[in-house]
Amino acid sequence: MGLLTELKSSISRATSSLFAGSEPKRIGIYGPPNAGKTTLANRIARDWTGDAIGPESHVPHETRRARRKENVEIKRNGKSVTIDVVDTPGVTTKVDYKEFLEHDIEKDDAVRRSREATEGVAEAMHWLREDVDGVIYVLDATEDPFTQVNTMLIGIIESQDLPVLIFANKIDLEEASVQRISNAFPQHETVPLSALEGDNMDEVYDKIAEYFG
Amino acid sequence: MPHQCTGCGHTFADGSKEMLSGCPECGGNKFQFHPEGEPVPENPEETPSTEEPPESPETPDSSVAETVGRATTKVRDFVSTRPDAPKDSPDPNAEWPSETGASSSETENPSTAESDGEIIDADARRKQREADDEDHAQASARSDVVSSNELPESERAGDSDDGDVGGLADVEPESGGRVVSEPSDEDPDLTELREQLNDQFESIKIVEPGQYELNLMELYDREEYIIALQENGRYVIQVPEQWMGDEPGDR
């Protein structure tokens, strides 16, 4: 028994040292609610693994638990980058069940969703502290990027010295302004895209490989 | 001389009520409290700047720390509806409610109007803050400490004669001095304020079932992880492993 345990541990040591150099980085997809984080996560996961990560919805806070897709291998220019994609709940400072009522959700359900969404934000903040190696910060390019939540999250990410890419999503919409986002965060690279339409995904993957490879 | 006018530097004795109707020297109504044994600075203007949060503009564009500091301040501002509320401190030498109002707003900028630190320079921010302080100090002086029915005489006296106010403290030591000098006097208003302040620094505030306010910085800062909220306002938390000793293999 002792011999077996020893053997087992020596094997696991060997395998871990074998893969130590190429351990996939855990990339958190962060941003305010309804920025398109899950749509992006699904796009990335479908493009490279064939599976989706979670359901997308127009209802805010659809993602109320962080979801992870491991070992997403992205191939760029003959090289390959393996990452774990973590789709996180939208971060906000206020959650109110009333906003769910507008989406034809019954009050009881809305209150429950609201509680879960709040737990989700707590979870997202916890992941940010403990468990991510890099961040894709997704913003809806039709919305004003100058918000308290954005400023604070970017500040936290910077304080952690995490590599971060800012994605200006929803460029398929007429009101989208990528410039407004790059002006808001000039210290970071802003990549325009439409996760829904799949616009500019080549650049998206180039940048992911460059930043998180 | 525990009180000092932040305008002209004029100092007042502990318990003095001269300042209740404004500084006799310059008419200023913002005072800094210096506990006994602490030196009173010569230049009153220096006091606020040393109490600035770490976001003070020494390295304007360097830093992350600054960004986060700013962010923290913003969160606190955002959550805080009463920045002039007194701190919950049992220390008898602690600042008095009115002074706390004036000085704590130095560190907790009550302005929520600033939406983006990047485009507001530090000087503008400080001016804005001072302007706000003025308002809060006035408001807190009016509402929290000196109720008008308690101090009608001394107020009138103070207004009528600036030069003679030095004697007033001796004439009426009771009514005026008492109001400001007994912070331990637990009126219900104060207790309520205290509770409010405590609430504001929680990670998650339950406004009512289904309505939550989140203090993101607190959520980020705390080691334990909130995994479930309960209707009664309690959290279920996951305690970090190191608090429980070594649990090999689990992580």
Side-chain angles (χ1 to χ4, degrees), chain B residues 55-101:
Chain B
E55 59 176 23
S56 68
E58 277 182 17
T59 49
D61 52 356
S62 83
S63 64
V64 169
E66 192 203 7
T67 316
V68 174
R70 202 160 55 210
T72 319
T73 316
K74 279 185 187 168
V75 176
R76 301 252 153 96
D77 295 344
F78 185 83
V79 177
S80 164
T81 51
R82 290 295 304 258
D84 54 340
K87 289 193 170 73
D88 189 4
S89 166
D91 182 358
N93 292 325
E95 296 172 339
W96 297 345
S98 60
E99 282 72 37
T100 309

Side-chain angles (χ1 to χ4, degrees), chain B residues 10 14 120 166 204 208:
Chain B
H10 191 92
D14 194 341
I120 296 176
I204 297 174
E208 61 175 88

Side-chain angles (χ1 to χ4, degrees), chain A residues 25-30 132-136 157 162-164 212:
Chain A
K25 290 214 172 96
R26 211 173 276 172
I27 307 304
I29 300 181
Y30 277 83
V132 294
D133 304 312
V135 172
I136 292 172
I157 293 161
L162 293 171
V164 58
F212 308 125

Side-chain angles (χ1 to χ4, degrees), chain A residues 74-93:
Chain A
I74 296 174
K75 296 191 175 70
R76 295 323 277 171
N77 306 324
K79 286 196 296 184
S80 99
V81 177
T82 304
I83 56 172
D84 292 349
V85 177
V86 184
D87 181 28
T88 68
V91 174
T92 180
T93 52

